[in-house]
Amino acid sequence: MIKQFQSSQFLIFLLTGGIAAAVNFGTRIVYNLWVAFSFSIILAYVTGMITAFILAKLFVFKASQQPLHHSVMFFILVNLVAIFQTWVISMGLAYYVLPAMGIKLYIREISHAVGIAVPVFTSYIGHKHWSFR
């Protein structure tokens, strides 16, 4: 399993995922101007997910022979797991863990950044074996 993460494909996945994560993080701040933090996480995740799909299809999993509609369906399924991970971690850190640690500044930003980072490995495995096989 570890060999899967020691490849140029995984490094490109990290790079494109980093771009999508930046889109996710940045749009969460913008969305949060109009909607609650909890809902802004979901909206931002969807925005980042669209970015991630396009970049993954173009740069990471170029050799995929799977029909586009199958890739989209599996991409959404894999990301439903990842968005759940992101939301639970972000909310748990923002409302319980970081306040309990005495952290008072940038709680939403820290918790959301950690929440985005956690599903990297599960998403790569899911996309490699289901979304873009």
Side-chain angles (χ1 to χ4, degrees):
M1 166 101 67
I2 292 176
K3 283 188 176 186
Q4 294 184 63
F5 302 115
Q6 297 173 333
S7 66
S8 60
Q9 185 181 45
F10 181 65
L11 290 175
I12 297 168
F13 179 80
L14 287 176
L15 179 64
T16 60
I19 293 167
V23 168
N24 181 333
F25 191 79
T27 58
R28 198 275 310 155
I29 293 168
V30 175
Y31 291 142
N32 203 194
L33 296 173
W34 294 285
V35 299
F37 177 63
S38 177
F39 191 56
S40 70
I41 290 170
I42 305 297
L43 290 176
Y45 196 90
V46 170
T47 305
M49 191 171 78
I50 292 167
T51 304
F53 180 84
I54 293 167
L55 294 175
K57 183 77 173 144
L58 291 175
F59 300 109
V60 182
F61 303 107
K62 298 182 281 193
S64 174
Q65 298 298 310
Q66 184 150 257
L68 183 62
H69 67 283
H70 287 161
S71 290
V72 169
M73 180 185 68
F74 284 115
F75 194 88
I76 290 169
L77 290 174
V78 167
N79 277 285
L80 286 174
V81 173
I83 194 170
F84 179 74
Q85 291 174 307
T86 298
W87 187 84
V88 167
I89 290 164
S90 296
M91 298 304 289
L93 286 171
Y95 292 105
Y96 302 103
V97 177
L98 295 178
M101 295 172 62
I103 297 172
K104 297 179 183 184
L105 297 175
Y106 304 108
I107 288 177
R108 290 178 174 182
E109 289 72 21
I110 293 167
S111 60
H112 189 219
V114 173
I116 290 170
V118 168
V120 167
F121 299 99
T122 56
S123 293
Y124 177 71
I125 296 298
H127 294 318
K128 181 175 182 170
H129 294 288
W130 292 300
S131 305
F132 298 105
R133 59 186 166 139

